[in-house]
């Protein structure tokens, strides 16, 4: 115990000293072997961005090579490589089979209870074709949406690629979302089939999935087929004519399914993400441009050499990070990845490091929130394992505080691995701002510079560029991997991203600053989106879930700074009539939100409030609520309908805080 605390104190001191260091150059050995060692790619792309992207696109496998590059004739509806034809599954699998690499492991999969499965490219080739045929036999064809609601098991990648093979856009819903949220996403997208599991495992427990899905299928009449992966073997009811077991169906299916030759602009997938209203946005990605950007960034940002590297992106496949950097990016590059079913602290807090050692992970990509959790658990967990194979680390999802960056660098990377802090969004499809690790130095807390071909800027409200101070992040040039629209809602697409600075400049929704080195420092969201543990949630969506509780009259939700999760959800709640708040009611409301959206959306804190601060026109003043929640001096309250409301609330919250301290 004493030794442990001495070690902790020494580490603290070392990290404290490192805080002084502003830049971290690529280590010599890393740079000597890196794919990119200088600025030449940035320069090449700057000279002719379209030629740059066209060159990258040619690295994909096409049925018909595109002659066109960017079609900007109808902004902001940009098209890329529109006269080319290709198939994503061919790029992820067939090309490697043809190159004789079928025996290479695509995924070292590890189950929660320690089970292991090595899935090769040949395995994927076989199962993807068979599942594609099952879907085809059930009448699913190009353009039909297929929902996927699966845990982190290899079948999720097979399902996505089977959809891609036949041109059916997939709509993956994160396994942590509630059935209610799945239902909504299936309804919005009018999914024709759903691929799901009997049950999911989480930290030693089993949660029924198929029965939960059965609960809503009656309300989604578009779903004609449900394919059920037997994950735990739990007993489930199967509806004749609609439901099929995955294993039986692929066993009986024709083993060959020639890929559809699809237009580059054919939709590859829809992925719902939170926006500033209660209705999630169906972000639509198409094929050729998306694959071009994802393939390139996977290889060059992570400096991947497929023959020797083992890559692990610890995200869930249900988020865009999983789509791009667990499935499409690594597979297109013929890389071996790790996929882990469980939580980072199950069966123990060292499981990630155990797996890194076991599979010889060389490049590891995770979220700052996970790093902060690891810091809390202590450096003794990674110390139990040999992490010497690691050579590059990455982060994504939210700004990383320099202290967490340094801990990651020192404790996980042993001071020898560069860190790439990658900024991007569901909408951008792939990494946009980061450092190329063999060529550029890193600064803890900053993402770095826009990648070649990407033009980012920080603008003021009027669209003028600002340097050295905070402004609004914008992307001033279309890029191939960008979203094409919001599914069936072109108007919201234009309004959300292209109304602030015009139809040529993409409005990101983040505040940022650029420094003298041209390094971007992303500060956080400027809209009503909360980033909890790197997961995007809309205040309006959580509010509408809270308000749907019968005892709640009104609610305002804000994101509050949180040491562990970056931001956490704080809900100010006014109850019906003269109902009184209680601890039981807090739990009831949290559970209600879990059922409506998912556990990740549960408010961490609920503040009972007789009334909410509103402007004279009735708009809730979230800025003031944020000040109250974070204990800041209250700003201007003169525009409020009833300034007393906010003062009473402020006093109440301060009183609670004092009670908490006592
Ligand atoms: O606010 C930025 C933050 O996450 C948002 C995008 O969220 P989402 O679409 O869910 O995608 C997350 C994974 C790509 C951004 O608008 N964000 C993402 N990466 C970073 C970040 N903020 C700071 N630094 C990052 N590296």
């Amino acid at each position: 115990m004493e030794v442990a605390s001495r070690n902790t104190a020494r580490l603290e001191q070392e990290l404290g000293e490192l805080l002084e260091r502003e830049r971290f150059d690529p280590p010599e050995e890393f740079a000597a072997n890196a794919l990119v060692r200088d600025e030449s790619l940035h320069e090449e792309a700057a000279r002719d961005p379209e030629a740059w992207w066209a060159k990258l696109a040619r690295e994909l496998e096409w049925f018909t090579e595109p002659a066109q590059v960017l079609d900007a004739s109808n902004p902001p509806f940009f098209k890329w490589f529109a006269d080319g034809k290709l198939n994503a599954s061919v790029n992820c699998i067939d090309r490697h089979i043809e190159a004789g690499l079928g025996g290479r492991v695509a995924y070292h999969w590890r189950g929660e209870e320690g089970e292991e499965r090595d899935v090769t490219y040949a395995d994927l080739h076989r199962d993807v074709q068979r599942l594609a045929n099952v879907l085809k036999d059930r009448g699913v064809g190009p353009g039909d949406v297929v929902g996927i609601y699966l845990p982190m098991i290899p079948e999720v990648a097979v399902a996505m690629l089977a959809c891609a093979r036949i041109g059916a856009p997939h709509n993956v819903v994160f396994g942590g979302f509630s059935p209610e949220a799945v239902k909504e996403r299936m309804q919005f997208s009018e999914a024709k089939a759903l691929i799901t599991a009997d049950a999911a495992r989480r930290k030693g427990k089993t949660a029924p999935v198929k029965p939960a899905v059965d609960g809503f299928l009656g309300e989604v009449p578009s779903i004609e087929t449900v394919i059920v992966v037997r994950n735990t073997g739990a007993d489930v009811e199967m509806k004749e004519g609609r439901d099929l077991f995955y294993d039986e169906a692929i066993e009986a299916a024709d083993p060959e399914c020639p890929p559809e030759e699809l237009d580059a602009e054919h939709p590859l997938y829809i992925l719902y993400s939170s926006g500033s209203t209660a209705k999630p946005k169906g972000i639509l990605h198409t094929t050729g441009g998306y694959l071009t950007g994802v393939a390139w960034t996977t290889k060059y940002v992570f400096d991947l050499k497929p023959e020797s590297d083992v890559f692990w992106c610890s995200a869930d496949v249900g988020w865009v990070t999983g789509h791009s950097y667990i499935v499409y990016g690594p597979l297109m590059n013929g890389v071996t990845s790790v996929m882990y079913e469980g939580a980072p602290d199950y069966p123990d807090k060292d499981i990630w490091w155990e797996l890194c050692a076991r599979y010889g992970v060389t490049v590891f990509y995770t979220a700052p929130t996970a790093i902060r959790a690891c810091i809390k658990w202590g450096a003794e967990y990674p110390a139990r394992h040999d992490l010497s194979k690691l050579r590059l680390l990455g982060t994504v999802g939210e700004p990383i505080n320099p202290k967490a960056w340094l801990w990651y660098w020192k404790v996980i990377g042993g001071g020898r691995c560069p860190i790439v802090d990658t900024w991007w969004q569901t909408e951008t499809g792939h990494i946009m701002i980061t450092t190329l690790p063999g060529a550029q130095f890193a600064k803890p807390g900053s993402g770095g510079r826009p990648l070649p071909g990407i033009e980012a800027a920080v603008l003021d409200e009027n669209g003028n560029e600002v340097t050295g101070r905070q402004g609004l992040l914008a992307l001033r040039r279309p890029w191939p991997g960008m979203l094409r629209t919001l599914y069936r809602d072109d108007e919201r697409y234009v309004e959300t991203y292209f109304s602030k600075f015009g139809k040529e400049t993409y409005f990101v929704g983040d505040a940022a600053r650029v420094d003298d080195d041209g390094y971007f420092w992303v500060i956080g969201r400027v809209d009503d989106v909360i980033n909890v543990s790197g997961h995007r949630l809309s205040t309006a969506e959580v509010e509408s879930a809270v308000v749907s509780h019968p005892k709640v009259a009104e609610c305002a939700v804000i994101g509050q700074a949180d040491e562990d999760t970056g931001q956490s959800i704080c809900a100010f709640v006014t109850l019906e009539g003269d109902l009184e708040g209680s601890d039981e009611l807090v739990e009831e409301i949290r559970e209600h939100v879990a059922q409506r959206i998912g556990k990740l959306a549960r408010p961490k804190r609920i503040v009972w409030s007789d009334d909410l601060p509103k402007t004279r026109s009735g708009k809730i003043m979230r800025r003031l609520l944020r000040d109250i929640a974070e204990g800041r001096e209250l700003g201007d309250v003169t525009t409020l309908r009833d300034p007393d409301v906010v003062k009473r609330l402020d006093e109440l919250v301060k009183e609670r805080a004092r009670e908490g301290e006592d």
Side-chain angles (χ1 to χ4, degrees):
M1 200 61 214
E2 222 173 83
V3 176
S5 64
R6 224 179 305 129
N7 286 346
T8 312
R10 197 177 323 128
L11 178 63
E12 281 287 324
Q13 191 190 342
E14 278 180 54
L15 296 183
E17 284 161 14
L18 281 168
L19 271 175
E20 308 286 310
R21 202 161 134 190
E22 267 179 28
R23 52 180 269 188
F24 288 70
D25 287 297
E28 246 168 62
E29 198 198 328
F30 184 94
N33 297 303
L35 294 175
V36 187
R37 300 172 206 182
D38 56 31
E39 293 293 313
S40 55
L41 300 184
H42 282 84
E43 286 158 14
E44 180 187 340
R47 277 195 299 275
D48 188 345
E50 286 188 35
W52 163 255
W53 291 120
K55 184 175 111 179
L56 302 192
R58 279 197 296 276
E59 292 185 11
L60 299 179
E61 181 113 348
W62 297 83
F63 297 116
T64 310
E65 284 235 0
Q68 289 174 23
V69 185
L70 168 65
D71 174 355
S73 56
N74 180 27
F77 298 96
F78 301 102
K79 291 183 188 157
W80 286 87
F81 318 120
D83 59 347
K85 282 189 190 292
L86 78 170
N87 185 290
S89 76
V90 169
N91 278 278
C92 289
I93 315 172
D94 302 46
R95 67 187 313 189
H96 308 309
I97 305 290
E98 274 152 35
L101 300 173
R104 183 177 286 170
V105 173
Y107 297 109
H108 291 297
W109 178 80
R110 170 80 162 236
E112 247 203 14
E113 299 305 325
E115 310 91 320
E116 292 183 303
R117 255 159 86 187
D118 275 353
V119 180
T120 63
Y121 279 87
D123 293 335
L124 287 178
H125 194 232
R126 183 194 62 224
D127 289 352
V128 165
Q129 295 189 74
R130 296 196 294 176
L131 184 60
N133 277 329
V134 173
L135 290 167
K136 261 171 124 171
D137 288 347
R138 303 292 292 212
V140 178
D144 292 330
V145 174
V146 175
I148 298 176
Y149 183 46
L150 283 171
M152 285 287 283
I153 51 178
E155 287 81 353
V156 75
V158 174
M160 289 163 75
L161 294 165
C163 291
R165 195 154 191 96
I166 60 173
H170 53 73
N171 176 6
V172 182
V173 183
F174 169 54
F177 273 119
S178 69
E180 185 70 21
V182 185
K183 177 184 91 181
E184 204 181 23
R185 283 154 176 78
M186 294 303 118
Q187 284 173 334
F188 291 159
S189 64
E190 289 184 39
K192 198 160 176 185
L194 176 64
I195 304 174
T196 189
D198 52 2
R201 305 188 293 184
R202 195 72 180 162
K203 297 198 189 192
K205 293 200 188 112
T206 301
V209 177
K210 173 66 166 53
V213 165
D214 284 336
F216 70 70
L217 282 172
E219 293 170 71
V220 195
S222 62
I223 295 182
E224 293 165 4
T225 300
V226 180
I227 300 174
V228 183
V229 177
R230 273 194 263 232
N231 185 38
T232 66
D235 239 354
V236 288
E237 250 177 63
M238 299 292 277
K239 187 171 163 189
E240 181 89 38
R242 187 195 63 191
D243 302 353
L244 301 170
F245 279 118
Y246 175 95
D247 53 324
E248 289 169 7
I250 63 168
E251 209 50 55
D254 189 336
E256 261 175 55
C257 178
E260 284 290 330
E261 298 192 10
L262 300 165
D263 288 344
E265 283 298 341
H266 188 84
L268 179 61
Y269 67 80
I270 307 166
L271 184 56
Y272 280 88
S273 179
S274 297
S276 51
T277 70
K279 190 176 173 207
K281 304 184 285 198
I283 289 162
L284 181 84
H285 282 292
T286 58
T287 310
Y290 172 79
L291 295 182
T292 300
V294 172
W296 191 83
T297 50
T298 308
K299 183 165 173 186
Y300 288 91
V301 173
F302 298 110
D303 189 52
L304 288 176
K305 286 105 184 171
E307 304 74 35
S308 52
D309 275 314
V310 177
F311 181 61
W312 186 5
C313 164
S314 77
D316 190 284
V317 87
W319 304 106
V320 74
T321 310
H323 281 55
S324 298
Y325 298 107
I326 295 177
V327 180
Y328 290 108
L331 295 181
M332 274 191 287
N333 283 289
V335 166
T336 297
S337 294
V338 170
M339 188 191 273
Y340 176 52
E341 182 192 24
D345 57 350
Y346 186 87
D348 201 354
K349 299 184 179 75
D350 66 339
I351 182 68
W352 277 7
W353 319 119
E354 181 189 327
L355 298 187
C356 279
R358 176 157 179 79
Y359 300 121
V361 173
T362 55
V363 182
F364 183 67
Y365 188 34
T366 195
T369 196
I371 299 166
R372 287 193 297 269
C374 292
I375 298 176
K376 233 179 184 175
W377 297 335
E380 60 269 30
Y381 291 100
R384 287 183 193 164
H385 302 280
D386 174 10
L387 300 179
S388 62
K389 287 248 171 79
L390 283 173
R391 60 181 199 89
L392 176 63
L393 302 172
T395 73
V396 59
E398 50 177 323
I400 182 162
N401 44 316
K403 205 169 159 207
W405 194 103
L406 292 168
W407 189 92
Y408 195 31
W409 183 80
K410 177 89 197 151
V411 176
I412 306 302
R416 70 178 185 276
C417 308
I419 297 181
V420 286
D421 175 349
T422 63
W423 177 88
W424 58 296
Q425 304 180 298
T426 310
E427 290 88 338
T428 69
H430 55 78
I431 299 167
M432 303 291 279
I433 296 176
T434 192
T435 46
L436 288 179
Q440 297 168 325
F441 57 84
K443 296 184 184 191
S446 163
R449 298 200 354 234
L451 283 174
I454 304 297
E455 195 185 325
V458 173
L459 308 178
D460 67 16
E461 283 290 331
N462 304 315
N464 302 313
E465 203 160 333
V466 294
T467 35
R469 65 188 165 85
Q470 186 175 326
L472 301 168
L473 185 57
L475 299 165
R476 293 208 285 200
R477 186 193 292 284
W479 65 101
M482 69 191 293
L483 79 165
R484 296 302 191 261
T485 190
L486 295 177
Y487 191 62
R488 294 192 178 152
D489 203 347
D490 287 349
E491 212 176 296
R492 190 172 176 199
Y493 167 71
V494 178
E495 167 65 30
T496 310
Y497 308 107
F498 293 98
S499 60
K500 181 106 188 151
F501 299 127
K503 291 198 168 131
E504 307 280 347
T505 301
Y506 171 90
F507 172 70
V508 166
D510 281 357
R513 175 172 67 81
V514 191
D515 67 17
D516 292 341
D517 291 317
Y519 274 47
F520 283 69
W521 298 74
V522 173
I523 293 152
R525 304 285 312 185
V526 292
D527 49 8
D528 293 325
V529 169
I530 314 179
N531 190 331
V532 182
S533 301
H535 298 151
R536 232 159 108 171
L537 290 160
S538 126
T539 51
E541 203 177 346
V542 181
E543 277 165 10
S544 116
V546 174
V547 167
S548 70
H549 188 284
K551 291 182 187 154
V552 174
E554 210 173 19
C555 164
V557 161
I558 55 149
Q560 183 183 349
D562 188 285
E563 235 180 52
D564 300 327
T565 55
Q567 283 191 302
S568 63
I569 301 176
C570 172
F572 290 80
V573 173
T574 310
L575 293 171
E576 283 287 355
D578 36 8
L579 284 171
E580 295 257 332
S582 65
D583 289 349
E584 291 77 55
L585 196 48
V586 167
E587 271 323 300
E588 229 180 80
I589 293 174
R590 278 166 47 82
E591 184 47 35
H592 183 74
V593 174
Q595 280 183 10
R596 295 290 302 235
I597 306 176
K599 281 190 179 157
L600 71 167
R602 285 178 307 190
K604 181 167 179 187
R605 184 171 172 209
I606 289 181
V607 179
W608 307 119
S609 159
D610 297 341
D611 202 353
L612 294 169
K614 292 189 192 120
T615 60
R616 290 190 189 98
S617 61
K619 202 168 165 248
I620 294 173
M621 296 282 283
R622 285 173 211 286
R623 178 178 55 78
L624 288 175
L625 292 175
R626 273 191 290 268
D627 288 346
I628 293 173
E630 292 180 358
R632 277 190 296 271
E633 280 303 306
L634 292 181
D636 183 14
V637 294
T638 50
T639 51
L640 287 180
R641 192 165 59 195
D642 177 3
D644 279 347
V645 170
V646 71
K647 288 188 191 137
R648 278 203 304 275
L649 251 180
D650 190 37
E651 276 160 22
L652 188 87
V653 170
K654 290 209 171 100
E655 202 179 292
R656 287 269 174 79
R658 278 194 297 275
E659 279 167 20
E661 278 164 18
D662 287 345

